[in-house]
Amino acid sequence: MEKLTIEGGGALKGEINVSGMKNSALPIIFATILLKGDSVIKNIPLVSDVLNSLEILREMGAKITVLDSHSVLINTDNISSEIKAHALISKMRASSYLMGTMLARFGHAELPMPGGCNFGVRPIEQHLKGFSLLGAVCNEENDFVLISTKNPLKSTKITLDKISVGATINIVLASLFIEGVTVIENVAVEPHVDDLIHFLNSAGAKIIRYGRRIFCEGVKQLHGVEYEIYPDMIEALTYLTYVGATGGEIVLKNTNTAHLSYVLDIFSKMGADVGITEREVKFRAYRALDGANVTTAPYPLFPTDLHPQFASLLCFSKNGGIIKEGIFPTRFAYVGELQKMGACMKQGNGYIEVLPSKLHSATVNATDLRAGAALICAALATHGVSTINNVNYIVRGYEDLTNKISSLGGKIKLLKGEQ
Ligand code: EPZ
């Protein structure tokens, strides 16, 4: 199993190019199932979830050609209506997008329950509610999801019971060819939802989002496109927690600062020097930052995917803080691992209180993608050599991790196998 060793305690300084957004690339890759002809997707992050998604399509018969380090040509004209690659599907939450795309294209979808980061149950009843209201029959049997429709799906109005990125995306995908206008209310508005809408409209779809309402007018067909994916907001913010914890300065290039504004304001209030242009962030933190209290919530508020990394940062702040988890109430597996490094944290019902802590190096285990990113934050800011196991979780969502951190002066090594 691969592991990382990090010799921490030094300030980070330098600049990094933000990669394409994993949580946009995944729905966009699956959405090519609905496009006729070649599509070229650019600024795609070569992280394992993306590679697995491409492999799932390839095993269904798609033509996938890697054009360069961040561009892929995809043609799904001849894919099978039968979903294969079940092992890969059950590892990834994003494979749930096969439900909406296969239903729209073939009128049916049979696949294993999608997996994903293991922080508690990941229900899909909102996805199935949407498909049912469109006229499909949905069943769950022996850990499989079976969705089908004998007649053409019918446009209607769907009001989601809770804000869900996945359900929003899946119902949009299912409604693309339905005659009339399908209205979806109480939708997620994360940048990756808009990225997908922008991609689909450039392929000929007719989708409009007003606030938390989406109108999708059905079309007969969608054509292949050349499309560049938005920059990854969570990767960008993760690197800012690294510099906030270690001290130092960083320039984030090729980002979209409009997506980062809520958290950048918090960093400024904590005492960091933050300067932005449309595509760049200049961030300096040459003294310990003040603490902060945050609550995670759907975009545009504080992202749940930054919760673990922010908790690490608070360990090195002057007065700590409280993080209330408003999306995944069981997303706390990282706490035990940070406590192995000496973090002073008190966990309550759906929140964590972090006190300023003197951490020591240790051997710790990544329990999911963002928990792993949090352990890197703590190790970079702690004197001594720490080891982080289960790197496979981390490379799901962070491209070129060791090179990017090394370019900032971080002393990080990837050890393969049982070294
Ligand atoms: C997406 O997951 C992201 N994954 C997650 O990022 C992210 O944490 C999450 O959105 C929230 O922003 C991908 O995009 C691949 P949700 P998703 O449906 O779509 C509940 C990462 O680190 N819910 O918005 O699964 C759900 O349990 C990953 O990159 C239902 O109850 O999240 C959660 O409490 C981790 N029923 C809340 O809604 C449903 O049918 C939000 O989930 C669907 C969701």
Side-chain angles (χ1 to χ4, degrees):
M1 188 64 81
E2 291 184 332
K3 58 180 81 169
L4 290 171
T5 61
I6 293 175
E7 182 178 355
L12 295 179
K13 185 172 181 173
E15 64 180 50
I16 64 156
N17 272 316
V18 177
S19 298
M21 181 134 61
K22 161 183 88 87
N23 290 346
S24 289
L26 298 172
I28 285 172
I29 287 168
F30 286 114
T32 61
I33 288 173
L34 301 174
L35 275 53
K36 195 155 184 53
D38 287 355
S39 289
V40 173
I41 315 295
K42 306 172 95 167
N43 198 31
I44 204 163
L46 294 187
V47 293
S48 59
D49 273 7
V50 164
L51 298 175
N52 287 341
S53 302
L54 294 170
E55 184 54 32
I56 289 169
L57 286 189
R58 187 181 281 117
E59 291 196 20
M60 290 168 66
K63 184 176 86 177
I64 310 276
T65 312
V66 177
L67 301 174
D68 64 40
S69 59
H70 290 101
S71 307
V72 178
L73 180 145
I74 302 175
N75 182 310
T76 63
D77 292 356
N78 302 315
I79 64 165
S80 152
S81 67
E82 189 205 338
I83 295 169
K84 300 167 180 156
H86 291 169
L88 281 178
I89 287 170
S90 47
K91 275 192 208 155
M92 266 192 349
R93 179 73 181 174
S95 39
S96 64
Y97 300 136
L98 283 165
M99 296 192 283
T101 48
M102 296 299 277
L103 176 61
R105 177 161 169 180
F106 296 108
H108 64 88
E110 296 81 26
L111 66 157
M113 274 297 276
C117 285
N118 54 350
F119 33 76
V121 180
R122 305 286 294 271
I124 59 166
E125 89 290 339
Q126 296 301 308
H127 303 236
L128 303 184
K129 168 182 176 173
F131 300 145
S132 306
L133 288 173
L134 292 172
V137 175
C138 305
N139 287 300
E140 293 175 64
E141 278 165 33
N142 313 323
D143 247 1
F144 257 67
V145 187
L146 311 163
I147 305 165
S148 62
T149 179
K150 286 197 176 52
N151 308 306
L153 296 175
K154 290 223 179 317
S155 58
T156 185
K157 184 166 96 167
I158 296 160
T159 304
L160 292 172
D161 301 320
K162 56 177 68 174
I163 293 172
S164 159
V165 168
T168 299
I169 288 175
N170 241 333
I171 298 165
V172 165
L173 293 168
S175 61
L176 288 170
F177 301 137
I178 301 176
E179 200 177 330
V181 178
T182 298
V183 181
I184 313 163
E185 296 191 318
N186 200 27
V187 299
V189 298
E190 271 72 358
H192 30 300
V193 173
D194 285 348
D195 205 355
L196 175 74
I197 291 173
H198 188 211
F199 167 76
L200 291 169
N201 283 344
S202 56
K206 291 180 180 170
I207 308 167
I208 298 175
R209 179 176 72 76
Y210 288 113
R212 291 198 183 275
R213 188 172 287 156
I214 288 176
F215 298 84
C216 181
E217 183 183 346
V219 294
K220 290 269 180 272
Q221 183 175 297
L222 297 174
H223 55 75
V225 286
E226 183 166 309
Y227 186 81
E228 179 165 331
I229 285 174
Y230 290 3
D232 194 313
M233 62 182 234
I234 301 299
E235 183 198 27
L237 294 171
T238 298
Y239 279 93
L240 298 186
T241 64
Y242 292 179
V243 177
T246 61
E249 56 185 272
I250 187 171
V251 177
L252 298 178
K253 299 179 84 70
N254 299 334
T255 184
N256 180 330
T257 50
H259 299 156
L260 314 177
S261 50
Y262 186 85
V263 181
L264 290 180
D265 287 349
I266 292 174
F267 281 138
S268 299
K269 289 191 180 93
M270 293 170 75
D273 297 330
V274 180
I276 63 168
T277 61
E278 193 189 341
R279 304 280 294 170
E280 276 192 11
V281 177
K282 285 189 171 54
F283 179 98
R284 290 163 50 99
Y286 277 107
R287 60 168 187 75
L289 296 179
D290 295 335
N293 297 327
V294 298
T295 299
T296 70
Y299 188 87
L301 301 179
F302 195 97
T304 177
D305 290 348
L306 196 70
H307 158 177
Q309 304 92 304
F310 198 75
S312 281
L313 169 59
L314 288 176
C315 291
F316 300 92
S317 70
K318 279 193 287 193
N319 33 24
I322 293 174
I323 303 175
K324 289 184 184 147
E325 174 53 53
I327 307 274
F328 293 112
T330 54
R331 166 170 229 166
F332 291 95
Y334 71 90
V335 173
E337 297 304 314
L338 284 178
Q339 287 172 332
K340 285 181 191 171
M341 297 180 73
C344 298
M345 303 173 120
K346 283 185 226 153
Q347 186 177 339
N349 182 16
Y351 73 89
I352 189 82
E353 182 180 0
V354 183
L355 304 174
S357 310
K358 186 98 185 78
L359 268 60
H360 54 75
S361 57
T363 295
V364 287
N365 303 307
T367 50
D368 63 67
L369 167 57
R370 307 302 176 183
L375 296 174
I376 292 173
C377 181
L380 286 169
T382 299
H383 287 282
V385 179
S386 294
T387 299
I388 301 173
N389 293 318
N390 306 337
V391 175
N392 53 300
Y393 282 120
I394 307 172
V395 296
R396 291 182 64 162
Y398 290 95
E399 183 182 56
D400 206 16
L401 182 76
T402 48
N403 288 336
K404 288 190 179 183
I405 289 176
S406 303
S407 74
L408 298 171
K411 295 182 184 128
I412 181 171
K413 274 194 216 129
L414 177 65
L415 304 182
K416 295 192 182 292
E418 290 309 312
Q419 289 177 37

